Amino acid sequence: QVQLVESGGGLVQDGGSLKLSCAASGRTVSSYAMGWFRQAPGTERKFVAGIRWNDGITNYAGSVKGRFTISRDNAKSTVYLQMNSLKPEDTAVYYCAGGSSGNPFGPYDVWGQGTHVTVSS
């Protein structure tokens, strides 16, 4: 079973940057797809970005394309989400997710505990 631990959330000003990390453990992690989702108060959890671990193929939600970048470090078994040009509407709890199917478009079936990101105006 893959386990995921996020870090890097916090408070940032409008237009600022933040980098989230997700450390993955488990002997099958290299076959997974990894993704980031977010959930703002009173809304459903939404897909943000995904990456296939073995070849780095990525996909993004339209709302973050060009501002956010998902990447992975195979040696550290860590996935990152670099968030630039942040907006108040990016405020949410961000969740790291793992997909045992290996498809960065989903589905995702393993979840981290979440990390808060707040963008102040």
Side-chain angles (χ1 to χ4, degrees), residues 52-100:
R52 191 153 61 194
W53 202 285
N54 57 4
D55 59 12
I57 289 178
T58 60
N59 65 308
Y60 295 91
S63 59
V64 305
K65 193 172 292 185
R67 298 189 299 124
F68 291 11
T69 302
I70 188 170
S71 62
R72 86 266 192 245
D73 184 327
N74 290 351
K76 296 182 179 179
S77 295
T78 300
V79 175
Y80 303 98
L81 186 67
Q82 177 67 46
M83 304 184 293
N84 298 328
S85 302
L86 282 162
K87 307 173 183 180
E89 51 264 43
D90 294 317
T91 295
V93 178
Y94 283 71
Y95 296 90
C96 180
S100 58

Side-chain angles (χ1 to χ4, degrees), residues 1-48:
Q1 179 72 358
V2 172
Q3 294 183 324
L4 307 173
V5 178
E6 304 102 328
S7 61
L11 174 65
V12 64
Q13 289 188 333
D14 190 357
S17 297
L18 207 57
K19 188 173 184 177
L20 306 181
S21 300
C22 173
S25 62
R27 59 188 179 93
T28 61
V29 68
S30 61
S31 66
Y32 274 54
M34 301 297 295
W36 288 95
F37 288 71
R38 66 186 182 186
Q39 186 170 19
T43 69
E44 295 182 350
R45 191 174 299 185
K46 296 180 180 178
F47 173 79
V48 174

